Amino acid sequence: MHELTKLIKDDMRPALGVTEPGAIAYAVSRARSYLTGELKEVRLLLNSGMYKNAYTCGIPNSLFFGNEYAAALGAVAGRPEKELESLADVTEADNAAAEALVKAGRIHVEMNGITSRIFIEAQVKTADGEAMVRIRDSHTNVVRIEANGKTILDREEPQAAEAAEETPLIHNYTLRQIYEYAKTVPAEEISFIKAAYDMNYALFEEGLKNERTTYARHLLKKNGGQILSSDEQKTASLLCNAAIEARVIGLDRPAMSITGSGAHGIIATMPLYGVCKIRGLEDEALYRATALSYLICMYIKEYSGKLSAFCGCGIAAGTGMACALVYLWGGDDQMMAKTINNMASSITGMICHGGNKGCTMKGVVAVDAAFQSAELGMNGIFIDDIHGINGSTPEETMRHMGEIASPGMTGTEKTIVDILQEKGRA
């Protein structure tokens, strides 16, 4: 198996709802699993990106939203063995129990710093004891567990040292090499990508039929009432954004995440599905394009950080998807480089203000930008390297895109969180 294949396979992961509430519920439920007795209190420490992304985010199987309810539901109903799908079995009784905990003031959430590096610390206290679970750098990467005065797991320091020293695998590759890999990797080696389409399409269907969605219905109408029309861009927007809307409002279907985000996974895949179906392309072409889309998304995200002040869904996943469009339309890596320049010079800097219905609007923008950037790039129309943040190589441009987020938008992140907290106090 090629190391890039393994990178993709290891990164793809089902996520029920937005990954941040899922990760919070997972951390709390895992800490709770070490304890018996009546629940007394949950204390949650989160980095700014985690805190912000779950702040008003829908939760699967619930009409509640946000950090406190994600923690409360994790405590009363979370299944830690299901990781990011830990809230798959929530009942109405569980919702009532979670609401009682929040209203009784037993759930406490604090932000512990402005950073793009994921951090969750869940401290759970019952009548019989206390436990703590700490997560760093990815949504399910547990680095420390303590229960009733004993250390059960401790791999925090080696993890931090390795993260500081190692160059991410994807950064050892150029755009041309990623393109060549996507063209030549044995088809059977990437056939597992089918699982992403099975999962994301089921989420799309849920979004289309559920009464709570609004964007999905409008985009269907805009596409002539058809799921697949002759208009690739409108079809792509419908497939992509009905799935995103379903996810952010908390409908009970998982998305296949990439780089720890279901919305990234949706944007990186669903528009490509529409193009392939309209053009009658084989599944092999779809999976090759998706591998390319995923890897370019990963390339940018390794610079920007998992959670930052800019919308990685639109910028990182959108750029990956734009390059994959070039691939499906018969273009080459030089056209992709031009497409990357167009994306870098247009939507870089679009903010992330949490996982919420705004993600759907950002998805609409990302699809539109990707289609325009790819079409222009394939016709030799692009923003030249001398301008703005564009680099002399596509690798430099992608690095600059990521650096705009981290460290570039640290102050923006603080301002966004300040606004959210101000609204919460109003």
Side-chain angles (χ1 to χ4, degrees):
M1 181 183 290
H2 195 288
E3 63 179 1
L4 289 180
T5 306
K6 187 175 187 306
L7 182 66
I8 295 169
K9 192 170 188 177
D10 290 348
D11 200 73
M12 282 174 52
R13 185 167 298 186
L16 185 63
V18 175
T19 40
E20 284 69 51
I24 288 168
Y26 167 61
V28 173
S29 66
R30 183 131 184 215
R32 180 70 173 94
S33 71
Y34 292 95
L35 302 172
T36 58
E38 181 189 354
L39 184 70
K40 295 296 185 182
E41 184 180 60
V42 175
R43 288 193 172 273
L44 202 60
L45 295 176
L46 306 171
N47 74 298
S48 56
M50 185 66 61
Y51 180 92
K52 173 193 69 180
N53 275 29
Y55 194 81
T56 57
C57 190
I59 298 171
N61 297 308
S62 179
L63 294 178
F64 296 118
F65 57 85
N67 293 312
E68 290 183 343
Y69 279 99
L73 284 165
V76 301
R79 299 276 298 276
E81 69 276 12
K82 293 190 174 184
E83 295 190 333
L84 293 179
E85 296 182 272
S86 61
L87 298 181
D89 303 316
V90 169
T91 65
E92 284 308 306
D94 296 327
N95 278 303
E99 184 178 19
L101 287 173
V102 172
K103 288 186 173 179
R106 294 190 181 187
I107 312 295
H108 307 277
V109 181
E110 298 176 31
M111 190 179 69
N112 75 329
I114 304 292
T115 173
S116 62
R117 290 185 67 183
I118 290 172
F119 179 89
I120 306 170
E121 184 172 293
Q123 303 166 9
V124 179
K125 189 176 187 178
T126 70
D128 297 335
E130 299 180 21
M132 183 274 288
V133 167
R134 186 177 296 148
I135 289 174
R136 286 191 190 273
D137 295 327
S138 67
H139 290 77
T140 57
N141 182 42
V142 177
V143 296
R144 188 171 180 85
I145 302 174
E146 298 173 2
N148 296 321
K150 295 181 180 179
T151 299
I152 295 171
L153 174 72
D154 183 6
R155 56 189 186 89
E156 190 164 25
E157 292 308 317
Q159 183 75 20
E162 288 167 15
E165 292 172 8
E166 289 186 3
T167 299
L169 171 63
I170 189 64
H171 289 170
N172 294 324
Y173 287 83
T174 64
L175 175 63
R176 177 179 286 275
Q177 289 171 325
I178 292 170
Y179 168 63
E180 289 297 330
Y181 159 80
K183 283 200 307 180
T184 60
V185 62
E188 61 275 12
E189 192 171 301
I190 56 171
S191 61
F192 64 87
I193 289 175
K194 179 180 185 297
Y197 286 97
D198 293 340
M199 189 170 292
N200 292 345
Y201 195 86
L203 179 63
F204 156 75
E205 289 183 313
E206 188 69 23
L208 211 56
K209 71 183 183 184
N210 194 279
E211 295 177 352
R212 293 169 57 197
T213 58
T214 55
Y215 280 86
R217 264 182 213 80
H218 179 76
L219 292 170
L220 178 64
K221 181 179 178 182
K222 194 174 178 181
N223 202 34
Q226 304 174 73
I227 291 174
L228 297 172
S229 74
S230 59
D231 189 313
E232 292 184 3
Q233 189 168 337
K234 289 178 182 176
T235 296
S237 192
L238 168 63
L239 288 164
C240 176
N241 295 304
I244 290 178
E245 185 178 18
R247 174 179 173 272
V248 295
I249 65 174
L251 299 188
D252 185 23
R253 287 282 185 176
M256 186 64 78
S257 70
I258 199 76
T259 68
S261 166
H264 284 62
I266 292 166
I267 289 178
T269 58
M270 293 301 281
L272 309 180
Y273 178 85
V275 170
C276 284
K277 288 299 180 183
I278 290 169
R279 295 190 174 222
L281 301 177
E282 298 293 332
D283 286 347
E284 180 181 330
L286 177 61
Y287 302 155
R288 292 186 184 282
T290 304
L292 175 71
S293 180
Y294 279 161
L295 290 170
I296 290 172
C297 175
M298 291 177 184
Y299 197 103
I300 297 169
K301 289 289 287 186
E302 285 291 355
Y303 285 115
S304 70
K306 287 287 195 297
L307 297 172
S308 66
F310 87 0
C311 176
C313 307
I315 298 162
T319 300
M321 181 257 290
C323 290
L325 289 175
V326 172
Y327 177 87
L328 291 174
W329 293 342
D332 58 21
D333 59 301
Q334 293 182 353
M335 294 174 180
M336 291 175 197
K338 294 177 173 64
T339 298
I340 290 170
N341 276 24
N342 287 338
M343 289 294 284
S345 296
S346 56
I347 64 172
T348 299
M350 182 166 68
I351 68 162
C352 169
H353 59 157
N356 53 59
K357 269 195 141 180
C359 298
T360 313
M361 193 65 229
K362 291 178 173 67
V364 170
V365 171
V367 171
D368 289 350
F371 270 79
Q372 294 292 338
S373 294
E375 182 185 353
L376 290 166
M378 288 188 70
N379 283 280
I381 302 168
F382 66 104
I383 310 301
D384 196 78
D385 299 345
I386 65 169
H387 298 301
I389 65 169
N390 290 347
S392 59
T393 66
E395 296 76 38
E396 279 189 10
T397 302
M398 289 189 284
R399 173 167 61 84
H400 296 163
M401 292 170 80
E403 288 172 343
I404 290 294
S406 182
M409 295 176 72
T410 303
T412 303
E413 177 87 335
K414 182 180 184 306
T415 301
I416 293 168
V417 173
D418 285 347
I419 292 169
L420 295 179
Q421 292 178 328
E422 180 183 331
K423 288 172 64 179
R425 290 190 293 267

